[in-house]
Amino acid sequence: QSALTQPASVSGSPGQSITISCTGTSGDVGSYNLVSWYQQHPGKAPKLLIWEVSKRPSGVSNRFSGSKSGNTASLRISGLQAEDEADYYCCSYAGSSTFEFGRGTKLTVL
Amino acid sequence: QVQLVQSGAEVKKPGASVKVSCRASGYTFTGYYMHWVRQAPGQGLEWMGWINPTSGGTNYAQKFQGRVTMTRETSTSTAYMDLSSLRSDDTAVYYCARDPIVGAIGGHFDYWGQGTLVTVPS
């Protein structure tokens, strides 16, 4: 197993939209719709944002949305706000009841 | 409300073992798989494995097989993660995280413990 590929950093201005990609292989992201996304602020536990590619838990803002095409999943954040500045991680089922995370993306709100 | 409360920070010598606990409350402990995830300082999240609290069945990431043991005590709604032969690169915050699909593996984690820092000095 190797970590899913995410950009190390992305940035955007308040009100703008950004997209974070998560690239895997046909053995994980490409074969299963079990991709989830997490937001982590410094010193805090991760928070679930998206599950099963595009489903949003209750209480999560609809500014967060997920999608997938082939071996790449994406998280889109619209209407950027200062509090969105955090680290973001994708996670995918990788077969044999195992999972793997992406290396993480640091979002900076300019 | 659902809560996962983990044991306190540990400092261990290389070669030793550590056992981290995760006490669940606010839901039926045996109804939901529990995963363990770790995060080295300044690094990303790393999935370690899961335990089925009903059967005690487990599945571990290949990287940790032979060194990790996940167990549970249903009478106290507590999950445990035991990591042996500790090395300096095992220094990390260890989290327990609940899988929200009843009786199955959904592959996402809705509630997380507060994390337990395990330090293994080099």
Side-chain angles (χ1 to χ4, degrees):
Chain A
Q1 286 175 311
S2 54
L4 305 172
T5 301
Q6 296 182 232
S9 63
V10 297
S11 62
S13 299
Q16 288 186 332
S17 297
I18 63 97
T19 298
I20 299 172
S21 61
C22 169
T23 301
T25 69
S26 58
D28 40 56
V29 175
S31 291
Y32 307 99
N33 287 328
L34 294 180
V35 177
S36 52
W37 289 90
Y38 302 85
Q39 175 191 62
Q40 187 181 35
H41 287 105
K44 301 293 187 181
K47 173 188 175 183
L48 177 65
L49 295 177
I50 297 289
W51 57 286
E52 288 185 4
V53 176
S54 59
K55 297 177 180 177
R56 202 171 41 246
S58 60
V60 172
S61 171
N62 59 10
R63 297 186 299 106
F64 296 93
S65 61
S67 62
K68 190 185 86 167
S69 178
N71 295 339
T72 298
S74 298
L75 173 71
R76 184 173 186 265
I77 309 174
S78 59
L80 270 178
Q81 300 178 0
E83 59 261 37
D84 297 333
E85 186 160 296
D87 294 326
Y88 292 83
Y89 295 92
C90 62
C91 180
S92 175
Y93 181 69
S96 301
S97 297
T98 66
F99 299 88
E100 57 189 350
F101 282 94
R103 298 186 186 280
T105 298
K106 180 177 180 58
L107 169 61
T108 300
V109 180
L110 302 170
Chain B
Q1 72 283 21
V2 173
Q3 280 193 306
L4 302 176
V5 178
Q6 298 184 220
S7 48
E10 304 258 17
V11 179
K12 294 290 184 180
K13 293 183 178 180
S17 297
V18 68
K19 191 169 188 175
V20 179
S21 68
C22 170
R23 188 179 76 249
S25 62
Y27 73 98
T28 302
F29 176 69
T30 50
Y32 302 84
Y33 284 60
M34 191 74 78
H35 298 257
W36 289 88
V37 176
R38 78 176 186 179
Q39 185 171 36
Q43 303 300 310
L45 301 173
E46 184 172 29
W47 180 81
M48 299 181 69
W50 55 253
I51 182 167
N52 177 342
T54 297
S55 67
T58 56
N59 195 38
Y60 307 134
Q62 188 172 8
K63 173 177 180 176
F64 299 103
Q65 284 182 8
R67 281 210 304 145
V68 70
T69 304
M70 296 177 188
T71 57
R72 91 291 188 217
E73 175 53 66
T74 56
S75 65
T76 59
S77 299
T78 303
Y80 299 92
M81 188 285 298
D82 195 314
L83 188 63
S84 63
S85 302
L86 289 169
R87 309 183 288 256
S88 57
D89 61 359
D90 290 317
T91 294
V93 174
Y94 289 77
Y95 293 101
C96 57
R98 191 187 80 156
D99 192 312
I101 304 301
V102 176
I105 302 171
H108 55 286
F109 321 114
D110 63 345
Y111 287 94
W112 295 65
Q114 83 276 19
T116 296
L117 176 62
V118 175
T119 302
V120 186
S122 54

